[in-house]
Amino acid sequence: MSEGDLSDAIKIIRTFVTARILGTPVGTLQHETSADREARGPCWASRVLLPAPVEKDALDIILDAVKGLGVGNERYTTPVIENVRAQWTGYRAGVQNDEPEPNMSEMEKFRRLQEENPFPAAVLDCLIAYLTLLYPLPCSPNASVPARDVVFAGDSSGAGLALSLVQVILNARRRQGIEQPTLEFHGRKVVLPMPAGLAFQSPSLDTQLNTMPSWAANFEYDTVPLDPPGYDAGFPADEVWPSNPARGNYYCETSMLYHPLVCAMAAKNWHGCPPIYMAIGSKERIVDGAKYVAQQVARQGVPTLWDEYELMPHNWPMGFPNHALSEKCYHSWAKACSYFADGRNIQTHGTFTALDSQVRELEVTELTTMSTEEVGRLMRCKESSIRPFTGKPVAKCHL
């Protein structure tokens, strides 16, 4: 695929995505994207319900991080501790790509493997899922998985959510003054350890504010369309959006937009974070935010692997699975996960892979010239310009 072919493909994808979301109510999009689809082809999917604990410790440890990492004026909706729906997934060998999902119990599938809730509800769900993996109930199909075998992996906004959970654990360490903080979970006092590592592809770490220079500069080259249309007058309303009471962002209250549990760029302390891998395309709109976080993490002594790919747009391995740089990314991403779980000694290292697959090294501690003060100013300016959306246009930030 040439540079011209890539540009043409990106324009087609962006046009399709933009046309789909511009006139579709948020509730409809939520329903479509959260639907439980059949797992066809070489993939096992065993659905599981993770029971909510009766104790409030999991919620309290998150709310403590919200308060401890904020400045005191943030507003948010306290979530209800609920059951978490999840899936165990894995490779299903010996079947064609269109093979239907087998008609068998979820337990049997597991043996073959071996919406409207704003922040911090998603972080709470992730914490309960992680704790359930470490400390399963007697009725759970899985045995306990040690933290040294767990890697938080994700793409796009999933990376930001994983980093939020890491900040929760780091805050609990500092608050309790011990490396292994404790909490009550399903009637047991358990420790909350760090996972073995973090592995991200196309990490969206400036998603809620979109203020870094690359957000505008790379618009023509990325598959990510304009800012979410749900903040513009005339956007079709439904029972989900605008929210009631009104807020200025899908994910959280406006006052939370520059909080470390919402925006990883706002986090100041990464000491104690496990090793981290980031794969990113050089033409992604969110590349500057990822560069800034990777640089900050590396400068604080966290082993950091940076993998940048020339001209690649957001989530390119999913969009162009047969491209040489997609195959290389998947291989490097999987290798990082294996290295973390194996407990290998990771040294900070950065690479830039060109379209012709030639590789040159990058200094991870010098990925961007933007200072902490400059980033903070951009974020605060954008945050202060946002008002609760009620169906009328919102203010713009002019610098």
Side-chain angles (χ1 to χ4, degrees), residues 13 55 90 105 160 189 218 306 323 336:
I13 294 173
E55 305 90 350
S105 70
K189 186 174 184 178
N218 287 348
W306 176 264
H323 195 283

Side-chain angles (χ1 to χ4, degrees), residues 89-140:
T89 62
Y91 181 69
R92 182 185 175 195
V95 299
Q96 301 298 316
N97 289 336
D98 59 348
E99 185 77 14
E101 185 171 351
N103 183 18
M104 61 177 64
S105 70
E106 299 302 324
M107 180 63 76
E108 180 62 21
K109 292 175 189 175
F110 178 82
R111 293 194 182 104
R112 298 293 186 94
L113 280 170
Q114 304 280 300
E115 68 234 278
E116 299 106 65
N117 298 302
F119 173 89
V123 186
L124 177 61
D125 286 350
C126 288
L127 178 57
I128 291 175
Y130 181 44
L131 289 170
T132 303
L133 193 64
L134 302 178
Y135 311 107
L137 293 173
C139 60
S140 298

Side-chain angles (χ1 to χ4, degrees), residues 265-303:
M265 296 175 61
K268 296 180 173 60
N269 191 342
W270 292 100
H271 294 289
C273 177
I276 183 171
Y277 168 85
M278 289 190 189
I280 193 91
S282 69
K283 288 300 183 181
E284 296 199 45
R285 301 185 73 188
I286 45 86
V287 65
D288 282 349
K291 284 182 176 180
Y292 177 78
V293 173
Q295 177 174 286
Q296 293 297 101
V297 171
R299 286 181 175 181
Q300 294 184 33
V302 177

Side-chain angles (χ1 to χ4, degrees), residues 48-292:
V48 63
L49 188 69
L50 310 179
V54 295
E55 305 90 350
K56 291 180 55 184
D57 291 40
L59 175 59
D60 290 343
I61 208 167
I62 289 175
L63 298 185
D64 184 69
V66 172
K67 296 174 184 176
L69 297 173
V71 297
N73 64 348
E74 295 90 353
R75 299 179 61 186
Y76 56 91
T77 301
T78 300
V80 176
I81 303 177
E82 297 181 341
N83 298 333
V84 178
R85 296 185 180 278
Q87 286 187 4
W88 291 91
T89 62
Y91 181 69
R92 182 185 175 195
V95 299
Q96 301 298 316
N97 289 336
D98 59 348
E99 185 77 14
E101 185 171 351
N103 183 18
M104 61 177 64
S105 70
E106 299 302 324
M107 180 63 76
E108 180 62 21
K109 292 175 189 175
F110 178 82
R111 293 194 182 104
R112 298 293 186 94
L113 280 170
Q114 304 280 300
E115 68 234 278
E116 299 106 65
N117 298 302
F119 173 89
V123 186
L124 177 61
D125 286 350
C126 288
L127 178 57
I128 291 175
Y130 181 44
L131 289 170
T132 303
L133 193 64
L134 302 178
Y135 311 107
L137 293 173
C139 60
S140 298
N142 63 292
S144 175
V145 179
R148 65 175 180 274
D149 292 339
V150 177
V151 175
F152 290 170
D155 68 282
S156 196
S157 297
L161 192 55
L163 288 175
S164 297
L165 186 51
V166 168
Q167 280 293 322
V168 168
I169 300 174
L170 290 174
N171 182 75
R173 281 182 172 184
R174 293 189 292 266
R175 296 281 287 181
Q176 295 187 21
I178 52 178
E179 186 173 341
Q180 300 276 25
T182 62
L183 71 160
E184 293 288 329
F185 187 68
H186 287 302
R188 289 188 289 170
K189 186 174 184 178
V190 300
V191 300
L192 179 56
M194 277 293 180
L198 312 170
F200 306 135
Q201 189 270 317
S202 291
S204 295
L205 308 179
D206 181 30
T207 307
Q208 307 303 332
L209 286 169
N210 305 327
T211 57
M212 297 294 275
S214 61
W215 183 254
N218 287 348
F219 168 70
E220 294 184 13
Y221 310 101
D222 203 359
T223 54
V224 178
L226 293 169
D227 290 341
Y231 309 139
D232 296 330
F235 184 78
D238 63 4
E239 70 281 1
V240 174
W241 190 259
S243 59
N244 183 22
R247 60 180 188 271
N249 184 272
Y250 290 147
Y251 183 65
C252 64
E253 298 284 350
T254 303
S255 60
M256 291 297 305
L257 287 171
Y258 192 50
H259 188 284
L261 297 190
V262 172
C263 176
M265 296 175 61
K268 296 180 173 60
N269 191 342
W270 292 100
H271 294 289
C273 177
I276 183 171
Y277 168 85
M278 289 190 189
I280 193 91
S282 69
K283 288 300 183 181
E284 296 199 45
R285 301 185 73 188
I286 45 86
V287 65
D288 282 349
K291 284 182 176 180
Y292 177 78

